[in-house]
């Protein structure tokens, strides 16, 4: 259900909020890196990083951004000065869910903590939501791009909802033609 998706996202957000309050983030790079490694081994992260106010990496463990400033998402993280979730980070090997949180020192933002969660944290929940006999849940961003789907491959392809709907419609058309037409080779379009 939508409550399960919300609960999973809430769990990830709570972890990021707690991590951003960890005193070790204000320590040396070695202390920061140790904290990141410990956290990554405990939770479902591909990578964690601490970034300066300009978006450059200060300490990174695992797979995350080399330079946060080069992303569209960084401006939103700076502007909101609060927990921010980006569109999935898609690589050749994985899909991750980036979350960023400002790190505060004396009430002022001093750095940004960014974690890239393993996508299965979301896809597992989406896969359990069934709408009707064969429906499914998916998440669409403001541009119409599918950013959450039970099948990770759909997200990796960067498909937009309009293309996805068109492909499904074409598939159903061809399926109906196969079931109802004798000379299917003449009308089937693949």
């Amino acid at each position: 259900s939508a409550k399960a998706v919300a609960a999973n996202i809430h769990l990830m957000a709570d972890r990021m909020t707690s991590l951003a309050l960890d005193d070790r983030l204000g320590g040396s790079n070695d202390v920061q890196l140790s904290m990141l490694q410990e956290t990554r081994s405990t939770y479902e992260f591909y990578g964690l990083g601490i970034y300066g106010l300009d978006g450059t990496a200060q300490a990174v463990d695992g797979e995350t951004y080399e330079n946060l400033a080069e992303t569209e998402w960084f401006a939103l993280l700076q502007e909101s000065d609060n927990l921010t979730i980006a569109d999935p980070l898609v690589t050749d090997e994985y899909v991750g869910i980036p979350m960023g949180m400002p790190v505060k020192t004396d009430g002022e933002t001093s750095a940004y903590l960014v974690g890239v969660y393993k996508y299965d944290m979301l896809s597992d929940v989406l896969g359990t939501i069934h709408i009707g006999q064969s429906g499914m849940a998916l998440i669409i961003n403001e541009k119409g791009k599918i950013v959450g789907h039970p099948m990770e491959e759909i997200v990796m392809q960067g498909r937009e909802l309009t293309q996805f709907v068109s492909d499904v419609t074409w598939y159903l058309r061809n399926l109906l033609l196969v079931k109802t037409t004798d000379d299917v080779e003449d009308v089937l379009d693949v």
Side-chain angles (χ1 to χ4, degrees), residues 41 59 171 178:
S41 69
Y171 170 78
V178 167

Side-chain angles (χ1 to χ4, degrees), residues 60-127:
V60 173
D61 182 54
E63 301 289 327
T64 186
Y65 301 95
E66 288 183 31
N67 186 343
L68 199 56
E70 294 175 355
T71 68
E72 290 179 28
W73 174 53
F74 183 57
L76 179 61
L77 181 59
Q78 289 176 307
E79 182 182 324
S80 71
D81 200 38
N82 205 338
L83 177 75
T84 307
I85 303 171
D87 283 354
L89 176 62
V90 178
T91 72
D92 291 339
E93 290 85 36
Y94 68 87
V95 175
I97 304 168
M99 287 190 165
M101 184 74 186
V103 176
K104 304 284 184 172
T105 303
D106 299 325
E108 296 293 322
T109 299
S110 58
Y112 296 99
L113 174 66
V114 172
V116 179
Y117 274 99
K118 294 182 177 179
Y119 183 76
D120 59 5
M121 292 281 294
L122 182 61
S123 66
D124 289 349
V125 175
L126 289 174

Side-chain angles (χ1 to χ4, degrees), residues 31 39 46 50 58 80 86 105 114 125 128 133 138 143-144 176:
V31 170
T39 302
Y46 283 116
I50 301 168
Q58 295 177 346
S80 71
T105 303
V114 172
V125 175
T128 64
Q133 289 183 335
L138 47 98
K143 296 176 185 170
L176 283 171

Side-chain angles (χ1 to χ4, degrees), residues 34-48:
S34 174
M35 179 266 197
L36 296 176
Q37 290 169 338
E38 175 187 318
T39 302
R40 196 164 77 89
S41 69
T42 304
Y43 299 113
E44 303 256 340
F45 286 104
Y46 283 116
L48 282 163

